[in-house]
Amino acid sequence: MDETEALRDIYPLWIQRIPLSLAKGAGIREDLKAQLEQFFSLLVESIDTGDPGWLDPILEAWTSSLTVTELESGQSSILPFIRELMLQTDQVCHDQLDTGQAARLVSALLPAFAHAFEKIAFFESQARVNYVSEQLKQAQSTLERLDQSKSNFIAVAAHELRTPLTLVEGYSAMLRELREPTQPGEYEIDLMNGIDNGTRRLKAIIEDMIDVSLIDNNLMQLNFQPVWINRLLQILKNELEEFTKERGQKLTIHEFPGCSEMTYADPERLLQVLRNVLTNAIKYTPDHGAISVNWRRLPGFVEIVVRDSGIGINPQDQSVIFEKFTRLGNVALHSSGKTKFKGGGPGLGLHIAKGIIEAHGGAIWAESPGYDEVNNPGSTFHILLPLISEHPESRVARLLPNLSDPITEE
Ligand code: ADP
């Protein structure tokens, strides 16, 4: 008797015994019986042809029935099932056949079961990888949706806040005009100055929010003009002098050969970037500290390096600070002063700076040995800006000279 015949001999006992030992409930048993019948016929085919690959479809179908809990726990329920199937089959062979036939059939079945173990392990790990990547995809799309609704919220909130703020500004100006001829007392002037300061600060925050929504939606438009970076830095040095003096800090702007070179860029936006970075340097450096601006010319680029002797930034936070609404440390302790020591803002300045610099085709990053409020290791911000000698629009026009010509048929 060959192995296929021996298999057919053991089938009645096999199909009667195995569902009983592998399934507890009668309903499940019926279902399992149908599955086992299919498994057995594929087992016969694989012994007949010597190709255990015949078992693959049913093994794959079993693996695809893994539950989410099984996929998440990483525990296999199919491998113990196959092991039990193999042990029961071995038992049936010995109960049904004589010792020699049983030994021959069991050794003929071994490669098929070995193949089943291997395939189940493969299909299971594939099912797990698919499950995890599906979960990741879902998490990513949830994050993208959240980010989009955050962006939408910022845009809507900024526009909605701007209208009432303009009203407050208008009424405050009218009040000032009304009171001025009668020479108000100092107390009233203080109150009106307070309103003006508050509205100015609120306006700056709203403008930052609008910039963030422009950057996040790729809508930031640059107004390219000839720019001399050393002049921008000089403007800022004068603008910030009041604050550096107040804090007893020394702000030094170094010159370098070629620093007066002209480049095409958006001067207002570049001023905004440099102002944000320099204001941070003032804010996160203790009184009497030093801030310096160095630069160097690289092929096609200028690198502006702003170094401070402040509290520093931990390496793991050095990229996070460029994300919107990032404020390191204890947020509750932050004061709202613009240049006060550690007086935090809404955490938008560096995100906007990054958006503007990237829109210019440049890069911005931070370096620091770490955060230490006792030893003040300092931080260094690098701004890499492309040097453009020709207006971007005229360069495009030159590269595509016939763009505006009417299309003529040959
Ligand atoms: P903020 O309005 O809070 O200053 P920014 O986007 O400008 O927001 O900066 C984000 C965070 O990065 C700040 O809250 C601060 O924790 C950290 N940071 C920025 N610049 C410096 C610096 N020069 N030294 C130390 N920390 C800094």
Side-chain angles (χ1 to χ4, degrees), residues 25-40:
I28 304 175
R29 217 171 281 148
E30 272 315 301
D31 202 32
L32 181 65
K33 199 171 168 189
Q35 299 274 329
L36 289 171
E37 278 166 2
Q38 202 186 338
F39 176 80
F40 197 90

Side-chain angles (χ1 to χ4, degrees), residues 280 283-284 308 312-313 321 326-328 345-347 349-350 379 381:
N280 278 346
K283 268 198 302 194
Y284 299 103
D308 65 52
I313 309 161
I321 54 172
T326 302
R327 287 155 49 161
L328 305 175
L350 289 179
S379 308
F381 281 77

Side-chain angles (χ1 to χ4, degrees), residues 254-268:
H254 296 277
E255 299 274 304
F256 79 109
C259 70
S260 52
E261 217 171 306
M262 187 274 280
T263 181
Y264 275 91
D266 185 327
E268 281 303 317

